[in-house]
């Protein structure tokens, strides 16, 4: 039966891959396209102090549900679940575009994130149903290129829509493009049968999602409520308690969301923490630098996207080079340490930003920052994969990806909490506070030589 299914699919993978590429493009664009539109959204809907949730709501929701989507795909069949996720994403996009106040927009973004997380994780799994083993690496590399394109054109498209049409089109554009992807997927994706499996680890999924949510809530509202207030301290206790329960629950689960071997593997834990701090830096820069350029520099939303090009070009360029360098496993640690160190240097340069910063300094700081953070994600993932047996590569990859997503959500909300209404003076201080956290990543990356095992 498997051979019958695979042969026709592999002979013509163009149509299903087109659908998957469009889906990944939409899901990845929606984590960056709103960055240049945030000031206008805040002006139209109000609530500047909570505007970070427009981005964080999407990132947090997509992160929390990713493990669950993967398990459901195995049990219910990936194609049907993928179609449900895509249709939900389009509905949520329409709701975002029609939102009349900030709470409505944040709620719609959370729903969009739930669906977007499903689209991403199911897309990677569906490649195994579409492509022959010898072709899968090429197709997965295609998705990496899509992420790079989204990083470059997301802020530009967001600025263009905001200036020329409305910020609402940053969401509404998903509907026609997504409908095309949905139709192609419905016609061309292979139908995967339902599989017998152990009961889904709902408790593990709930605990991990709850701990992640608590972390982001603390970062978002800690400064407003007071870091030593009863509410924040209670939230800290709840978050730590939920995180502490993950290990015993996952130990007893028949099909754990986070396998215990991944939670106790030092190389995987180190790679996950490095990915976490790297994404804190990356998303802090990608989300709030356009706001600085518009509010302090007085440029348009479109122009702020253009100003961001040195950062995203440096990111894509260094990511490509890092992929070549780590073909030799002995270079993994060196590249990772260098990437984290350059990221710290970029953060220290960004810490000098104020109302009088010259264009030359901006370009230099953005370029250094982009080069640094571009070297880290792929290399951290490779370090984790090299440290585990072949049968555990999938679980190790999922663990690193999960913590990278948590880092993105935490970076957006924590950085937003550090900003004040006087962005010209507070943005440099915020980057200065982020720098020591990322510096810890340099130390962690250096420890990989001792613990990582090259396969």
């Amino acid at each position: 039966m498997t051979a019958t299914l695979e042969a026709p699919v592999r002979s013509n993978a163009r149509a299903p891959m087109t659908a998957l590429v469009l889906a990944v493009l939409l899901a990845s664009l929606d984590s960056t396209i709103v960055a240049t539109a945030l000031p206008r959204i805040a002006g139209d809907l109000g609530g500047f102090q909570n505007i970070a949730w427009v981005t964080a709501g999407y990132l947090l929701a997509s992160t929390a549900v990713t493990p669950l989507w993967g398990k459901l795909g195995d049990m219910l069949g990936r194609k049907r679940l993928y179609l449900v996720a895509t249709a939900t994403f389009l509905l949520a996009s329409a709701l975002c575009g029609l939102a009349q106040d900030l709470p409505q927009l944040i709620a719609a973004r959370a729903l969009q994130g739930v669906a977007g997380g499903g689209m991403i994780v199911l897309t990677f799994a569906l490649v195994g149903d579409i492509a022959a083993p010898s072709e899968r690496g090429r197709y997965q590399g295609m998705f990496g290129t899509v992420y790079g394109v989204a990083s470059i054109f997301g802020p530009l498209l967001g600025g263009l829509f905001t200036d020329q049409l409305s910020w609402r089109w940053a969401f509404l554009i998903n509907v026609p493009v997504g409908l095309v992807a949905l139709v192609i997927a419905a016609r061309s994706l292979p139908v995967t049968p339902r599989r017998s499996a152990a009961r889904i680890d709902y408790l593990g999924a709930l605990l991990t999602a709850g701990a992640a949510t608590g972390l982001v809530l603390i970062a978002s509202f800690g400064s407003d409520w007071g870091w030593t207030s009863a509410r924040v301290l209670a939230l800290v206790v709840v978050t730590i308690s939920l995180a502490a329960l993950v290990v015993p629950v996952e130990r007893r689960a028949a099909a754990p969301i986070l396998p215990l071997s991944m939670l106790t593997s030092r190389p995987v834990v180190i790679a996950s923490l490095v990915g976490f701090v790297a994404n804190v830096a990356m998303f802090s820069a990608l989300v709030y630098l356009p706001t600085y350029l518009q509010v302090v520099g007085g440029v348009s939303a479109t122009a702020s996207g253009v100003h961001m090009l040195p950062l995203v070009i440096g990111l894509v360029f260094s990511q490509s080079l890092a992929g070549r360098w780590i073909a030799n496993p002995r270079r993994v640690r060196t590249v990772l340490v260098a990437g984290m160190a350059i990221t710290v240097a970029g953060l220290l340069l960004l810490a000098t930003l104020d109302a009088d910063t010259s264009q030359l300094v901006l370009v230099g700081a953005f370029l250094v920052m982009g080069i640094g953070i571009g070297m880290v994600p792929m290399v951290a993932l490779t370090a984790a994969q090299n440290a585990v047996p072949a049968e555990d590569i999938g679980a190790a990859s999922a663990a690193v990806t999960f913590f990278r997503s948590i880092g993105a959500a935490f970076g957006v909300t924590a950085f937003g909490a550090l900003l004040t209404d006087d962005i010209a003076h507070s943005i440099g201080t915020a980057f200065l506070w982020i720098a020591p956290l990322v510096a810890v990543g340099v130390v962690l990356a250096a420890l990989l030589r001792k613990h990582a095992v090259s396969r």
Side-chain angles (χ1 to χ4, degrees):
M1 181 176 182
T2 302
T4 305
L5 173 66
E6 289 180 349
V9 173
R10 290 176 180 174
S11 64
N12 183 17
R14 183 175 300 175
M17 283 303 300
T18 298
L20 297 182
V21 165
L22 286 175
V24 170
L25 178 63
L26 292 179
S28 55
L29 270 177
D30 267 75
S31 64
T32 60
I33 195 171
V34 300
T36 44
L38 288 179
R40 193 71 58 82
I41 293 174
D44 288 353
L45 301 183
F48 181 81
Q49 67 277 12
N50 293 320
I51 197 65
W53 278 102
V54 175
T55 299
Y58 180 90
L59 293 172
L60 178 60
S62 63
T63 300
V65 301
T66 293
L68 188 58
W69 278 112
K71 290 289 185 181
L72 289 174
D74 287 337
M75 290 187 64
L76 305 178
R78 283 184 282 274
K79 177 178 179 177
R80 58 176 59 91
L81 209 60
Y82 176 84
L83 296 178
V84 169
T86 304
T88 304
F89 183 85
L90 299 183
L91 172 63
S93 297
L95 292 176
C96 287
L98 299 174
Q100 298 302 305
D101 56 41
L102 197 60
Q104 288 181 19
L105 179 58
I106 292 171
R109 282 286 281 173
L111 178 61
Q112 196 182 38
V114 169
M119 290 166 66
I120 292 293
V121 69
L122 292 171
T123 290
F124 292 143
L126 279 164
V127 171
D129 300 327
I130 294 170
S134 60
E135 298 175 338
R136 290 171 189 166
R138 176 165 60 91
Y139 288 135
Q140 297 287 13
M142 188 185 302
F143 295 136
T145 301
V146 171
Y147 275 109
V149 170
S151 297
I152 294 174
F153 289 103
L156 283 174
L157 285 175
L160 184 62
F161 287 139
T162 300
D163 287 341
Q164 304 301 323
L165 297 171
S166 167
W167 58 263
R168 297 180 184 276
W169 278 99
F171 305 109
L172 295 176
I173 191 63
N174 292 336
V175 178
V177 177
L179 284 174
V180 173
L182 189 63
V183 171
I184 297 175
R187 293 181 176 180
S188 62
L189 287 179
V191 177
T192 53
R194 292 172 180 261
R195 301 176 182 177
S196 59
R199 189 171 64 178
I200 296 173
D201 180 22
Y202 289 111
L203 181 57
L206 183 63
L207 290 173
T208 54
T213 301
L215 184 64
V216 175
L217 286 174
I218 293 168
S220 181
F221 297 108
S223 60
D224 294 334
W225 294 344
W227 295 106
T228 58
S229 67
R231 281 187 291 183
V232 171
L233 293 178
L235 194 55
V236 169
V237 171
V238 171
T239 301
I240 293 175
S241 300
L242 291 174
L245 287 172
V246 169
V247 172
V249 167
E250 298 300 80
R251 181 181 288 118
R252 292 194 297 269
I257 292 291
L258 292 175
L260 189 61
S261 60
M262 296 301 100
L263 298 176
T264 56
S265 169
R266 281 194 173 188
V268 174
V269 170
I270 290 173
S272 299
L273 292 175
V274 168
F276 172 86
V277 297
N279 268 24
V280 168
M282 180 169 70
F283 279 85
S284 296
L286 287 176
V287 172
Y288 289 104
L289 285 175
T291 301
Y292 161 81
L293 292 167
Q294 292 177 55
V295 175
V296 179
V299 303
S300 67
T302 302
S304 68
V306 175
H307 280 73
M308 291 289 292
L309 283 177
L311 188 149
V312 291
I313 289 174
L315 187 154
V316 174
F317 177 72
S318 65
Q319 187 177 49
S320 175
L321 287 181
R324 297 179 183 180
W325 289 335
I326 61 173
N328 182 345
R330 295 180 180 179
R331 298 175 181 170
V332 169
R333 172 184 172 275
T334 301
V335 173
L336 193 57
V337 170
M340 295 301 298
I342 295 172
T343 301
V344 173
L347 288 170
L348 293 177
L349 287 173
L350 292 175
T352 66
L353 296 184
D354 57 29
D356 301 319
T357 302
S358 69
Q359 184 64 38
L360 184 61
V361 172
L362 279 177
V363 171
F366 287 8
L367 186 60
V368 171
M369 186 69 179
I371 291 173
I373 58 180
M375 295 171 66
V376 177
M378 181 190 301
V379 183
L381 181 59
T382 300
Q385 292 174 338
N386 286 349
V388 298
E391 60 269 20
D392 290 334
I393 287 179
S397 302
V400 175
T401 302
F402 177 79
F403 283 100
R404 279 170 49 188
S405 299
I406 291 292
F410 180 81
V412 170
T413 50
F415 198 89
L418 292 169
L419 288 180
T420 66
D421 291 336
D422 187 2
I423 296 178
H425 291 93
S426 63
I427 192 167
T429 302
F431 279 118
L432 190 60
W433 276 101
I434 296 293
L437 174 63
V438 180
V440 173
V442 180
V443 178
L444 289 171
L447 295 176
L448 278 173
R449 168 180 285 178
K450 181 178 180 179
H451 301 296
V453 177
S454 175
R455 294 183 300 109

